[in-house]
Amino acid sequence: MDTQRRTGENGPAPFRSSRFFCVGSKWYFTTREGFDSGPFASRERAEIGLRRFLHVVRMLPEEQQLH
């Protein structure tokens, strides 16, 4: 569990869990919005998938970005 505060956070650190999870032998990532993506062949592939997802989200106009 990650208990460190992020930049700009005040007060106690909220509960955080990994964005990655494995079902059987397949890996997935989840977003804060509850979107699960996968399956990926390995955790490393899921990490690449998450980086690509975040890259696309950052390119969206501000009003369309996921929060």
Side-chain angles (χ1 to χ4, degrees), residues 2-43:
D2 183 2
T3 58
Q4 295 182 359
R5 284 190 225 151
R6 295 178 180 161
T7 302
E9 285 184 335
N10 296 317
F15 173 79
R16 293 191 176 98
S17 61
S18 176
R19 288 189 181 211
F20 303 98
F21 61 96
C22 185
V23 176
S25 62
K26 302 296 183 182
W27 283 88
Y28 299 79
F29 70 82
T30 188
T31 67
R32 293 179 187 149
E33 297 75 27
F35 172 75
D36 295 339
S37 182
F40 296 93
S42 66
R43 181 181 170 122

Side-chain angles (χ1 to χ4, degrees), residues 36-59:
D36 295 339
S37 182
F40 296 93
S42 66
R43 181 181 170 122
E44 292 77 22
R45 293 284 186 171
E47 290 172 358
I48 292 167
L50 176 59
R51 284 194 296 272
R52 288 179 177 168
F53 172 82
L54 294 174
H55 176 75
V56 170
V57 168
R58 287 185 195 111
M59 293 189 320

